[in-house]
Amino acid sequence: MFELIFVLVFLATLVMTGVTFVTVTMAIVVSFAVMFLLGMVGVVFNLLPYIIAFLIAIWIYKKVMAPTN
């Protein structure tokens, strides 16, 4: 799936800018940047249950177990 997205972003960048050495290099950079951002979003979604559990544990600790001043 990510490979298809990479190719589509690469081709879309080339269609918008034309085909020269500079624009091919720019298309590669843009495609890698988009893939990096999509990969980071995927990592966040994979870690979301653990992040939620961690936040609930912190909330419980603050409400129940933390000493009050």
Side-chain angles (χ1 to χ4, degrees):
M1 182 67 183
F2 281 118
E3 294 84 6
L4 178 63
I5 294 172
F6 179 83
V7 170
L8 290 176
V9 171
F10 181 77
L11 292 176
T13 306
L14 286 180
V15 167
M16 299 299 260
T17 60
V19 179
T20 63
F21 178 73
V22 174
T23 57
V24 169
T25 306
M26 185 181 73
I28 291 171
V29 170
V30 168
S31 298
F32 277 128
V34 169
M35 294 305 299
F36 179 77
L37 290 174
L38 290 176
M40 290 297 113
V41 169
V43 168
V44 168
F45 279 128
N46 282 338
L47 293 176
L48 195 59
Y50 302 107
I51 293 170
I52 292 172
F54 184 68
L55 292 175
I56 290 173
I58 290 173
W59 179 74
I60 289 172
Y61 177 76
K62 284 184 177 181
K63 292 292 182 184
V64 176
M65 302 179 80
T68 57
N69 293 333

